[in-house]
Amino acid sequence: SKRNITAASPTALARPRHLVTSSLVAPLPCSMFRLLLRPVAKARARYHSTVAGAGAAASVAAAETVAVGEGTLTFARTQPFKFNIIVATVKTALCDLLVQRYIEKRDTIDWKRNGVFVMFGGAYLGVFQYGLYVGLFQRLWPGMATFAAQPLSQKLRNAAGLRDLCKQIAFDNFVHYPFIYFPTFYCIKEGLQGDSGPVVAGGLAKYRANGVEDNLKMWALWIPGDAIVYAVPLWMRLPLNHGLSFVWTCYLSFLRGGQDEADEIEPLVHAQECRA
C-alpha cells in the first residue's frame, strides 16, 4: 500500500527484499556465538595470567638464586679470610652432626664431641690453615700464584711450576699433616673429651697409637687431592680444599670423633686392680 511504501526507508526500497531480511537477521547468531564464547575467553585470559605470573615468579626466584651465588663468589674473592673461617667452622661442625645422626644412628647428639669439631674447624682449619696455605706457601714458593693462574696447557710446559707443585704436595702431606694437623686435632679432642690429665701428653699418646693408620688414610685422599687444589687459582684454593675436606672430615668424625677404646677400657682395668 501507499502507507507501507512511505514508511519504508529509501535505502530499503533501493535494495532487494532478501538483502534487507538478511541484514536484520544475520547479526543475531554472531552475537549469540560471542556470548557463548565469553566464559571461554575469560578462562583463557585467567590461564595466561596465571602462566605469566608463575613465569614471573620463577624468573624472580632464578634471579635471586643467581644473585646469591654471585654474592657468595664476590665475598669469597674480596674477603677470603672471613669466608674461610665461616666455611671451615660450619663445614666441620656439620660433618660431625651428619655422622652422629645418620651414620652412627645416635638418638642424642654428643655436643661435647661436636664442640671438638667446631673449635678445630674455626681455629685450625679456618685461621691457621689460611695463614699456612696463603701466607707461608707464597713465601716458600713465590711463583705459585703465577702458575695457578695459567691455563692447563701452560702449566704442563712450566717445569719450575710443576716442581713447586710437587713440593707443596710433599710439604702438606709429609710435614703438615703428620706433625701439625693430627697433633693439634688430638690435643683439642683430649682437652674437650679427655679426663683431667695433661692435655698435650694425653692427646699425643693417642696420636702415637693411631698415627700410622691416620696418615695412610690421609695420604690416600690428599696426595691426589692436593694435585688439584694447588693447581687452581689462589682464590679458589681454599673453597675447593673445603669441598674435599668435607669428605675427609666426615670420615675423621666417624673414625676418631667418639671416645677412644682406651678411654673406655682404662676405668675397667683400674676397677679390677682395685678389687685385686
Side-chain angles (χ1 to χ4, degrees), residues 132-134 136-148 160-177 222-223 225-232 234 237:
L132 176 70
Y133 291 138
V134 178
L136 181 62
F137 271 38
Q138 283 184 329
R139 294 181 182 179
L140 294 176
W141 299 285
M144 73 175 191
T146 302
F147 175 81
L162 291 174
R163 284 195 299 270
D164 286 347
L165 176 63
C166 294
K167 292 176 183 178
Q168 292 172 64
I169 296 171
F171 181 89
D172 202 23
N173 285 274
F174 303 115
V175 176
H176 170 220
Y177 292 143
W222 283 105
I223 289 178
D226 280 347
I228 300 173
V229 170
Y230 295 144
V232 299
L234 291 184
R237 176 172 292 190

Side-chain angles (χ1 to χ4, degrees), residues 26-36 38:
L28 294 178
C30 295
S31 300
M32 293 176 64
F33 185 71
R34 284 195 296 269
L35 184 63
L36 292 174
R38 186 174 300 171

